[in-house]
Short mmCIF file of all heavy atoms in Angstrom, two decimals:
data_model
loop_
_atom_site.label_atom_id
_atom_site.label_comp_id
_atom_site.label_asym_id
_atom_site.label_seq_id
_atom_site.Cartn_x
_atom_site.Cartn_y
_atom_site.Cartn_z
N ASN V 507 -22.50 8.40 7.33
CA ASN V 507 -22.82 7.28 6.35
C ASN V 507 -23.11 7.87 4.89
O ASN V 507 -23.97 7.46 4.23
CB ASN V 507 -24.08 6.51 6.78
CG ASN V 507 -24.12 5.13 6.30
OD1 ASN V 507 -23.08 4.65 5.84
ND2 ASN V 507 -25.27 4.49 6.29
N THR V 508 -22.23 8.83 4.55
CA THR V 508 -22.35 9.49 3.24
C THR V 508 -21.01 9.26 2.52
O THR V 508 -19.93 9.33 3.11
CB THR V 508 -22.59 10.97 3.50
OG1 THR V 508 -23.88 11.16 4.04
CG2 THR V 508 -22.44 11.82 2.23
N LEU V 509 -21.16 9.07 1.18
CA LEU V 509 -19.93 8.95 0.39
C LEU V 509 -19.83 10.11 -0.62
O LEU V 509 -20.73 10.40 -1.32
CB LEU V 509 -19.95 7.62 -0.42
CG LEU V 509 -18.74 7.41 -1.32
CD1 LEU V 509 -17.60 6.99 -0.42
CD2 LEU V 509 -18.98 6.32 -2.36
N ILE V 510 -18.74 10.83 -0.49
CA ILE V 510 -18.44 11.93 -1.47
C ILE V 510 -17.70 11.36 -2.65
O ILE V 510 -16.73 10.76 -2.46
CB ILE V 510 -17.68 13.05 -0.70
CG1 ILE V 510 -18.37 13.59 0.50
CG2 ILE V 510 -17.29 14.11 -1.72
CD1 ILE V 510 -19.69 14.23 0.17
N THR V 511 -18.35 11.54 -3.83
CA THR V 511 -17.79 10.93 -5.05
C THR V 511 -17.25 12.01 -6.04
O THR V 511 -16.74 11.57 -7.06
CB THR V 511 -18.92 10.16 -5.79
OG1 THR V 511 -20.00 11.06 -6.05
CG2 THR V 511 -19.42 9.01 -4.92
N LYS V 512 -17.43 13.23 -5.73
CA LYS V 512 -16.98 14.33 -6.68
C LYS V 512 -16.30 15.45 -5.90
O LYS V 512 -16.55 15.59 -4.75
CB LYS V 512 -18.21 14.92 -7.41
CG LYS V 512 -18.82 13.82 -8.36
CD LYS V 512 -19.85 14.49 -9.26
CE LYS V 512 -21.22 14.52 -8.64
NZ LYS V 512 -22.28 14.77 -9.52
N ASP V 513 -15.48 16.21 -6.62
CA ASP V 513 -14.96 17.39 -5.99
C ASP V 513 -16.05 18.31 -5.37
O ASP V 513 -17.19 18.31 -5.92
CB ASP V 513 -14.24 18.31 -7.03
CG ASP V 513 -12.96 17.71 -7.57
OD1 ASP V 513 -12.53 16.64 -7.00
OD2 ASP V 513 -12.44 18.25 -8.56
N ILE V 514 -15.69 18.94 -4.30
CA ILE V 514 -16.66 19.98 -3.65
C ILE V 514 -15.94 21.32 -3.76
O ILE V 514 -14.86 21.46 -3.11
CB ILE V 514 -17.04 19.54 -2.32
CG1 ILE V 514 -17.80 18.23 -2.23
CG2 ILE V 514 -17.98 20.69 -1.64
CD1 ILE V 514 -18.26 17.85 -0.87
N ASN V 515 -16.57 22.25 -4.46
CA ASN V 515 -15.96 23.62 -4.57
C ASN V 515 -16.71 24.68 -3.84
O ASN V 515 -16.40 25.79 -3.89
CB ASN V 515 -15.88 23.95 -6.11
CG ASN V 515 -15.11 22.97 -6.86
OD1 ASN V 515 -14.02 22.57 -6.51
ND2 ASN V 515 -15.77 22.38 -7.91
N GLN V 516 -17.81 24.29 -3.16
CA GLN V 516 -18.70 25.17 -2.47
C GLN V 516 -18.78 24.76 -1.03
O GLN V 516 -19.27 23.63 -0.84
CB GLN V 516 -20.04 25.09 -3.17
CG GLN V 516 -21.13 26.06 -2.72
CD GLN V 516 -20.92 27.36 -3.39
OE1 GLN V 516 -20.48 27.50 -4.44
NE2 GLN V 516 -21.20 28.41 -2.59
N SER V 517 -18.44 25.59 -0.14
CA SER V 517 -18.61 25.17 1.26
C SER V 517 -20.01 25.04 1.58
O SER V 517 -20.97 25.48 0.93
CB SER V 517 -17.91 26.27 2.16
OG SER V 517 -18.71 27.38 2.16
N GLY V 518 -20.32 24.11 2.59
CA GLY V 518 -21.67 23.80 2.94
C GLY V 518 -21.82 22.42 3.51
O GLY V 518 -20.81 21.82 3.79
#
Side-chain angles (χ1 to χ4, degrees):
Chain V
N507 206 18
T508 291
L509 184 73
I510 300 299
T511 58
K512 292 191 274 198
D513 288 354
I514 298 180
N515 303 308
Q516 184 80 33
S517 69

